[in-house]
Amino acid sequence: MASTIIKDKETLESFRRHFISKKGAISLLFEAFKELPTGEKKVIGPTLNSLKQAAEKKFKSAASAIEAKHVSVTGQSVDVTLPSFGPTIGSLHPLTIVQNKIISLFQRIGFNLVEGPEIVGDWHNFTALNFPDNHPARDMQDTFFVQRNPDQLLRTHTTSVQIAICETQSPPIRSIALGRVFRNEAVSARSHCFFHQLDGMYINTDVTFSDLKGTIYHFVETLFGQATKLRFRASYFPFTEPSAEVDINCRLCQGKGCTVCKHSGWVEILGAGMIDPNVLSNCHIDPEKYNGFAFGMGIERIAMLLYQIDDLRLFSENHLDFLRQFKSVLGH
Ligand code: DAH
């Protein structure tokens, strides 16, 4: 004899099958009932009907009790009486955190944030920036061209935005441009075919190299702390003269030497210089009257140093274990 005790979905189904389904015990009783003489039918009929109603009632109330306890979402049963896990909180991407920090740092000292297109012409990326045609300096930045069109390319640096700004605004100009840049380079722990840059510039009358140094010192001390060591090294960029590269002491090894600083204890964080007069006249700004400084940096490099990250690929591969580490870092 099947059990009449219902405690879960399985026993509910067994109850239905044995007692109230078409082939169940109660249906069989009704079959037998048909054969009875009329007199007996009158006696047994009401009892049989109330048995059927009682069984159906028991089934329905047991089914809704079980349903209330188990909510089936994916076919698996869930016990809703268990305590909840609480809401999961997302995190900002480390590059977003660093970008926000750098943007607000420069906005506080009067720089305006400007955006520019990722696909640009040769003029904005190279020619206006004083890269002569066929000049070897163009090889410094291996370029992706759009459908072999030499005049449509993925910008290799956000310095291209400087030209767009100078063409449309007149001095004094104090701007920063931020965004993704692209270079035809093999992907490794130290280089990538796309990354992020921030370029800044200040154009006015009587701008000096000391103004540039003051701005860069302010940037480094605010972002990395007062104790950070910093050095300017003479360098070359077609669009600045004189040009410099700025290094800070390596924060991954505290100057002891590691793969990130190539065992030198110093890491380059940006390029900078006084804007070449040719660049200003290319944008119809009179170099006799105005001059300026400019600087450009890779956001990934800054983030690597701030958070001791030693592989560039981590920024674009979206491993949750990596990204979850930034939950507690506020993005401003
Ligand atoms: N555009 C340079 C690069 O991608 C970086 C740079 C150097 C930007 C000097 C500047 C600058 O604005 O003044 O390597």
Side-chain angles (χ1 to χ4, degrees):
M1 179 66 194
S3 169
T4 54
I5 299 167
I6 304 176
K7 51 184 190 320
D8 52 24
K9 282 196 167 171
E10 284 72 41
T11 45
L12 178 75
E13 172 56 13
S14 143
F15 180 88
R16 189 195 63 78
R17 229 174 331 109
H18 283 101
F19 299 107
I20 55 176
S21 69
K22 274 191 184 149
K23 288 181 185 158
I26 294 174
S27 297
L28 291 179
L29 286 176
F30 272 98
E31 288 295 313
F33 175 79
K34 283 185 204 156
E35 311 298 324
L36 289 178
T38 323
E40 282 186 38
K41 272 190 181 157
K42 280 197 176 148
V43 183
I44 296 187
T47 319
L48 201 52
N49 269 332
S50 50
L51 175 69
K52 186 183 177 200
Q53 280 164 10
E56 281 173 351
K57 197 171 159 205
K58 181 180 167 92
F59 175 79
K60 273 190 194 149
S61 63
S64 48
I66 290 168
E67 202 54 37
K69 212 165 150 213
H70 296 82
V71 180
S72 178
V73 182
T74 55
Q76 288 173 323
S77 56
V78 178
D79 186 349
V80 292
T81 60
L82 285 176
S84 76
F85 296 114
T88 33
I89 297 166
S91 54
L92 289 177
H93 192 280
L95 290 180
T96 309
I97 296 169
V98 173
Q99 280 175 12
N100 291 350
K101 277 178 194 279
I102 301 179
I103 291 171
S104 63
L105 183 163
F106 280 111
Q107 280 178 336
R108 282 199 296 270
I109 54 170
F111 285 79
N112 295 315
L113 178 65
V114 184
E115 268 181 62
E118 291 181 349
I119 298 179
V120 293
D122 175 277
W123 172 257
H124 285 93
N125 201 78
F126 291 122
T127 306
L129 284 164
N130 207 28
F131 286 83
D133 268 352
N134 304 321
H135 192 278
R138 289 185 183 231
D139 293 344
M140 284 161 79
Q141 302 179 355
D142 228 337
T143 311
F144 285 117
F145 291 94
V146 178
Q147 295 186 334
R148 298 180 196 283
N149 179 345
D151 206 32
Q152 271 203 327
L153 51 96
L154 298 181
R155 66 180 176 195
T156 59
H157 51 180
T158 43
T159 318
S160 60
V161 187
Q162 286 183 13
I163 299 300
I165 297 169
C166 291
E167 283 173 337
T168 51
Q169 295 180 23
S170 38
I173 299 171
R174 221 189 258 118
S175 67
I176 47 171
L178 192 145
R180 216 156 32 150
V181 300
F182 307 84
R183 291 189 195 175
N184 191 0
E185 278 179 22
V187 175
S188 73
R190 299 182 53 82
S191 71
H192 212 292
C193 55
F194 64 83
F195 52 99
H196 297 76
Q197 279 191 339
L198 177 128
D199 256 75
M201 70 172 168
Y202 174 47
I203 302 175
N204 206 343
T205 49
D206 306 317
V207 180
T208 66
F209 200 87
S210 297
D211 295 329
L212 169 64
K213 282 184 91 173
T215 308
I216 300 301
Y217 268 88
H218 172 74
F219 161 71
V220 169
E221 286 174 4
T222 312
L223 199 64
F224 294 104
Q226 298 277 335
T228 313
K229 283 197 203 125
L230 181 129
R231 71 178 185 192
F232 278 72
R233 239 179 331 101
S235 184
Y236 168 76
F237 299 103
F239 36 89
T240 45
E241 180 58 37
S243 304
E245 279 174 311
V246 176
D247 302 335
I248 63 167
N249 56 314
C250 181
R251 296 159 55 91
L252 273 87
C253 63
Q254 313 304 335
K256 286 186 209 94
C258 67
T259 49
V260 171
C261 64
K262 296 190 194 130
H263 303 281
S264 70
W266 291 97
V267 190
E268 182 218 314
I269 56 160
L270 56 86
M274 301 307 288
I275 299 173
D276 193 292
N278 286 344
V279 175
L280 294 176
S281 39
N282 284 339
C283 307
H284 311 294
I285 293 178
D286 182 0
E288 299 293 329
K289 191 168 168 202
Y290 295 106
N291 68 342
F293 67 70
F295 54 89
M297 65 187 83
I299 302 292
E300 278 82 352
R301 173 68 63 92
I302 307 285
M304 287 170 95
L305 292 168
L306 268 182
Y307 300 125
Q308 269 102 59
I309 297 165
D310 63 1
D311 193 327
L312 198 57
R313 291 168 291 197
L314 285 167
F315 292 112
S316 50
E317 288 178 354
N318 288 333
H319 297 303
L320 283 178
D321 286 349
F322 170 70
L323 297 172
R324 283 194 181 118
Q325 297 177 89
F326 299 91
K327 262 191 188 162
S328 59
V329 190
L330 291 175
H332 49 74

